Amino acid sequence: MSNSSSMPQFLLLALADRRELQLLHFWLFLAISLAALLANGLILSAVACDHHLHTPMGFFLLNLSLTDLGCICTTVPKAMHNSLQNTTTISYMGCAAQLFLFYFFISAEFSLLTIMCYDRYVAICKPLHYGTLLGSRACAHMAAAAWAAGFLYSLLHTVNTFSLPLCRGNALGQFFCEIPHILKLSCSHSGYLREIGLIVVSCCLGFGCFIFIVFSYVQIFRAVLRIPSQQGRYKAFSTCLPHLAMVSLFLSTVLFSYLKAPSISSPSLDLVLSVLYSVVSPALNPLIYSLRNQELKDAIRKMMTGFFSGGTTFFFFLQNTHCVTYFGPSLPSKAFDSGVNFHRWIKSSPKAMSHLWNKAGPL
C-alpha cells in the first residue's frame, strides 16, 4: 500500500452541514447501534443458553447476529465520531481496515443467508433427511466456509483496491470507505480493470446464490401449499417468512445501490441507500426474525424473567429457609411480609448485614 505516504487520509461524506443536524445524526446512530447491540446480544445469549435453540437454524442465527454486530460496529462508530467532532477525515490505514471489515462481514452475512435458505429447504422439502444433511459437523463446516469465503473475498478486494495509485484527490462520496468511491480516485487503467474484473466475478457468484435462494423458495412454497392442514401451512410459512424478509431487505438495497443507473445517482440517494444496507438492515434483522419465531421469543422472555426475578428469588429463599436460623428472635416479624420488606430490613441494619455475610457460607 504505497499510497499511505502520499495520501495520509481520506475525506468522508458529511451526513449534514448544519451543526444541529450533525448532533441529531449522532444521537440517531447512537440509538440504532445500542438497539442493535441489545437485540443481537439477546439473541446470542438466548441461543447459547436455551437448549431448545441448539438447532441448525439457531446456530446459523447466532452467526448471523455476529455479522450484524460486525457491520454496525464497523461503520457507525466512525460516523458518530465525525458527527460529534464536526470532522470528515479518516486515516489511510483506518479506511483500509474499515473497508476490509465491512466487506468481510457483509459477504459472510450473504453467505449465511444462503445457507439458512438451504436449511429451510431441507427442513420443509426433505424433512426425513434433515438430521443427516444438517448435522452438527455439517453445520460447523458450512458456517466456517461462510466466514472463510468472506475473509478471502474481503482480503482480495482490499489488497487490490489499495494497491491502485490514487491521483484524483482524497474526497470520498460516502460516509464510510467503500470500493466504488475509492476506484473513482484511481488513475491506473489496468488496476481499475483488474478490480472491476474481481467485482464482476463476485457479482456472478452472488447472482448464483440469488438464483439458488429463488429456486429454493419456489420449491418451499410448492411443498407448503401441498400441506393439507392449515395450521401446518401456517407453521411452515412462519419459519420461512422472517428469513425471506431479511434476504429481500438486504438484497434489494445492495442491488439497487450498486446497479442503479448513473442518471438517477446523487450523493443524497447514495447516502440513504448506504445507510439502509449498512446500518438499518443489520439493525432490523433481529427484530424481523424474532417477530415470527416463537421459540426465540419464549427463550428471550424466559431469560429476561429469570434475570429480573433473580434478586427477589434470593431474598424469598432466605426468608423461607434460613432466616430464623440465622437471625433468631432478632428478626422482625414484618420482615416475613414480603421479600421487599426483608430487603429493606437488611439494608437498614448493618449488624444484620454483617451477620448475613458471616452466616452465608452454609447456604
Side-chain angles (χ1 to χ4, degrees):
M1 297 186 183
S2 58
N3 292 314
S4 58
S5 57
S6 58
M7 187 176 294
Q9 64 183 14
F10 291 98
L11 298 178
L12 299 175
L13 180 66
L15 295 173
D17 296 329
R18 295 172 54 188
R19 185 58 181 161
E20 296 81 3
L21 292 178
Q22 290 177 346
L23 294 177
L24 177 62
H25 284 115
F26 168 80
W27 290 111
L28 181 61
F29 274 5
L30 179 62
I32 291 175
S33 59
L34 290 178
L37 181 64
L38 175 62
N40 285 290
L42 287 175
I43 289 179
L44 290 172
S45 302
V47 173
C49 298
D50 196 312
H51 69 279
H52 294 101
L53 296 176
H54 292 174
T55 61
M57 179 54 73
F59 174 71
F60 294 134
L61 186 60
L62 183 145
N63 283 269
L64 189 70
S65 294
L66 291 176
T67 62
D68 289 335
L69 283 176
C71 290
I72 292 287
C73 294
T74 299
T75 58
V76 172
K78 184 59 181 176
M80 290 171 55
H81 172 268
N82 286 352
S83 295
L84 188 63
Q85 299 295 326
N86 192 20
T87 183
T88 60
T89 61
I90 184 172
S91 67
Y92 183 90
M93 296 305 298
C95 184
Q98 189 182 65
L99 186 144
F100 171 80
L101 290 174
F102 177 74
Y103 282 94
F104 169 56
F105 287 117
I106 209 76
S107 55
E109 178 165 344
F110 184 57
S111 300
L112 287 169
L113 289 174
T114 305
I115 293 171
M116 292 169 73
C117 178
Y118 174 72
D119 171 87
R120 293 300 84 200
Y121 168 77
V122 175
I124 294 176
C125 299
K126 300 179 181 294
L128 298 180
H129 302 281
Y130 188 78
T132 304
L133 296 176
L134 286 163
S136 58
R137 185 182 296 273
C139 291
H141 288 167
M142 285 187 284
W147 288 104
F151 178 83
L152 180 61
Y153 173 85
S154 180
L155 183 64
L156 287 174
H157 280 289
T158 304
V159 171
N160 188 69
T161 300
F162 283 90
S163 64
L164 300 176
L166 306 178
C167 59
R168 297 177 182 174
N170 63 342
L172 301 177
Q174 187 60 279
F175 78 99
F176 66 95
C177 292
E178 203 174 19
I179 290 176
H181 296 276
I182 297 178
L183 290 181
K184 293 179 181 179
L185 307 179
S186 173
C187 52
S188 172
H189 185 68
S190 59
Y192 180 86
L193 292 178
R194 186 171 62 248
E195 178 59 26
I196 292 298
L198 284 175
I199 293 177
V200 170
V201 172
S202 303
C203 289
C204 292
L205 293 175
F207 185 72
C209 293
F210 175 73
I211 293 298
F212 174 79
I213 292 173
V214 172
F215 173 79
S216 298
Y217 269 105
V218 169
Q219 299 300 316
I220 287 172
F221 288 146
R222 290 179 59 185
V224 169
L225 293 176
R226 288 198 297 264
I227 298 176
S229 168
Q230 182 177 359
Q231 183 179 1
R233 288 197 300 269
Y234 174 80
K235 184 177 180 181
F237 274 125
S238 66
T239 62
C240 295
L241 290 180
H243 175 262
L244 185 59
M246 287 191 294
V247 173
S248 302
L249 178 64
F250 177 79
L251 287 181
S252 60
T253 53
V254 171
L255 291 178
F256 185 76
S257 175
Y258 280 84
L259 300 180
K260 66 180 182 300
S263 58
I264 64 173
S265 181
S266 66
S268 57
L269 179 61
D270 292 344
L271 180 62
V272 170
L273 291 173
S274 62
V275 169
L276 283 177
Y277 68 77
S278 65
V279 179
V280 176
S281 179
L284 286 182
N285 279 348
L287 178 63
I288 292 174
Y289 203 87
S290 60
L291 282 177
R292 301 298 295 271
N293 193 319
Q294 190 60 42
E295 286 188 351
L296 181 60
K297 288 193 290 187
D298 292 341
I300 293 176
R301 189 181 301 113
K302 179 181 177 182
M303 183 177 61
M304 297 297 293
T305 303
F307 175 78
F308 286 113
S309 64
T312 304
T313 304
F314 171 74
F315 285 113
F316 273 106
F317 173 76
L318 289 177
Q319 172 184 336
N320 294 328
T321 55
H322 295 281
C323 292
V324 175
T325 303
Y326 285 172
F327 298 102
S330 64
L331 181 66
S333 59
K334 290 185 178 180
F336 288 95
D337 293 344
S338 68
V340 175
N341 288 336
F342 181 79
H343 188 198
R344 290 174 179 171
W345 179 73
I346 287 292
K347 291 179 67 177
S348 64
S349 173
K351 182 179 178 181
M353 181 64 75
S354 176
H355 194 55
L356 174 64
W357 283 111
N358 290 335
K359 290 283 188 177
L363 278 177

